[in-house]
Amino acid sequence: MEKLHLINEKSVAEMLDREEAAFIRANPESRALYERAQHSLVRGAPMHWMDNWPSPYPIYFDKAKGARLKDVDGHEYVDFCLGDTGAMFGHGNEDVAEDIREQVGNGSTVMLPNEDAIWVAENLQQRFGLPYWQLATSATDANRFAIRLSRIMTGREKVLVFNGKYHGSLDETQVSLDKGRMIPQPRISQNAVDFERTTKIIEFNDVEELERALAPGDVACVLTEPIMTNVGMVPAKPGFHEALRDITRRTGTLLIMDETHTISTSPRGYTGTYGLEPDLFVLGKAIAGGIPAAVYGMTAEVAEVMRRYTQKDGYSISHCGFGGTLAGNVLTLRAIRATLEKVMTDENYEHMCSIAKEFVQGVAAVIQDYQIPWHVTRIGARVEYMFSKTAPATGGEAKTVRMPELEAAIHLFLLNRGVLLTPFHSMALMSPYTSVDDVNRHTEAFRECIEKLA
């Protein structure tokens, strides 16, 4: 077998042309719906991300069950995207769906607490080690509220984030590094936000720069994932989390841990598994069976600040910038309870992580056989392959090895063979329903793809 050291750019372009033509031939119903949607939906989809798949237009969804998805043209896919984590525990999971159906018949939102809320908070206490919890409708909102609490508690304005991060559509975080200088992310409007006033950005894993950035005492909080996932997976170096916690405490800076993606680690997330000690903790997407939901936890000290800040002043009441009319509705709470109680179990994670290891072995074997300078990283049930020999240490490094045309070619090749990866990444998630046969299907298609690119 001829050894492949670098991917041929001409082969990538030819594959894209060939696979785009094959996609159009195979998906006339999706194309018709896409063309119809141009007259009523911006970019033909209810959210523009849905039009950012590498295909000429998105496949239009028909139904999904477990780890399989069908489109309107009748094609069935092994789904490793799983709603970009939102359906990580499987489509139409009956353990959750049954409880949702029951609750819908008994009311969906009533602006009142119920026993489910207490059960959920107590379960979250046990999993993640933080004593007090609140609900939001998305992780973006939960991060927004966590930042707001940090500013109230510290009296400081700035938020520190890491280059290449993603924490939702928060205005203050829409920044990037360019040769060491903070700039707005590409195509981002500042929306009247003065980034110099609100934000600092440094590279992940850079302890010396973290020390310098926090030393002036003007940063309210550091907002981070335990490992970076948005720019490709960037693991934390040994000792980084210990240094991060030490420096934030010494400088009076709160630490917010966003585990919306890294909940793939275990039922206790990366935080519970590795004993991290954040001041605030955010989790969204997967926790409510696909219903929009998020939770955010906090230490007793932060909770006391929130309690004082939001308490009633006689009969004068204000929402104080937290929550929303539908936050904490009883339907969402029932879905979260069912997910925590019946789905986010050690047994399910053991299966998911075992299947993820099989996925890694399949990809690694292809990389080894063709001697391509790529690597594959796993965090629990989440796997990603990237175009460098070793995992990047920073978001800046990760950006340099991203190859959009090659990524698109691989995605589209797999899509046309019934394998769905997460768009924007070569990332795959395992669900309780994902099987070894599903993984083998990906491995075979991936091997065929690399063979053609060689």
Side-chain angles (χ1 to χ4, degrees), residues 100-285:
I100 291 173
R101 283 191 292 267
E102 179 185 347
Q103 187 60 56
V104 166
N106 292 321
S108 298
T109 185
V110 293
M111 199 64 172
L112 291 168
N114 66 353
E115 192 270 338
D116 282 342
I118 303 168
W119 189 99
V120 164
E122 290 172 345
N123 187 278
L124 295 170
Q125 284 178 330
Q126 295 166 11
R127 286 175 188 259
F128 305 113
L130 288 160
Y132 290 98
W133 293 83
Q134 289 283 277
L135 271 80
T137 51
S138 71
T140 293
D141 275 344
N143 280 320
R144 180 179 293 113
F145 303 150
I147 289 172
R148 186 165 291 150
L149 269 170
S150 300
R151 286 170 166 161
I152 292 167
M153 189 166 180
T154 64
R156 304 171 182 177
E157 287 189 283
K158 291 184 183 293
V159 178
L160 186 142
V161 293
F162 294 106
N163 188 31
K165 83 282 148 297
Y166 179 73
H167 300 289
S169 55
L170 298 170
D171 283 342
E172 300 98 321
T173 67
Q174 305 303 304
V175 292
S176 185
L177 277 177
D178 179 29
K179 298 176 182 177
R181 185 173 61 91
M182 181 172 65
I183 61 170
Q185 282 180 203
R187 302 189 185 184
I188 288 292
S189 165
Q190 289 196 212
N191 298 322
V193 175
D194 181 356
F195 289 133
E196 293 296 330
R197 175 176 173 178
T198 65
T199 310
K200 290 186 180 183
I201 182 169
I202 64 171
E203 293 288 6
F204 194 67
N205 280 320
D206 191 337
V207 174
E208 290 183 6
E209 189 59 33
L210 178 67
E211 187 86 66
R212 281 192 290 269
L214 298 187
D218 57 349
V219 175
C221 59
V222 173
L223 173 59
T224 185
E225 296 179 282
I227 75 168
M228 298 188 73
T229 62
N230 186 65
V231 72
M233 291 211 275
V234 181
K237 288 182 178 179
F240 175 70
H241 280 297
E242 291 80 1
L244 173 61
R245 184 65 282 193
D246 173 61
I247 297 167
T248 51
R249 281 181 173 147
R250 281 195 284 104
T251 58
T253 309
L254 297 184
L255 177 60
I256 307 171
M257 201 62 66
D258 181 351
E259 287 237 37
T260 297
H261 285 161
T262 55
I263 192 59
S264 62
T265 308
S266 83
R268 292 158 291 283
Y270 196 105
T271 293
T273 301
Y274 294 99
L276 305 187
E277 297 179 349
D279 299 293
L280 296 113
F281 175 97
V282 169
L283 178 59
K285 286 193 179 182

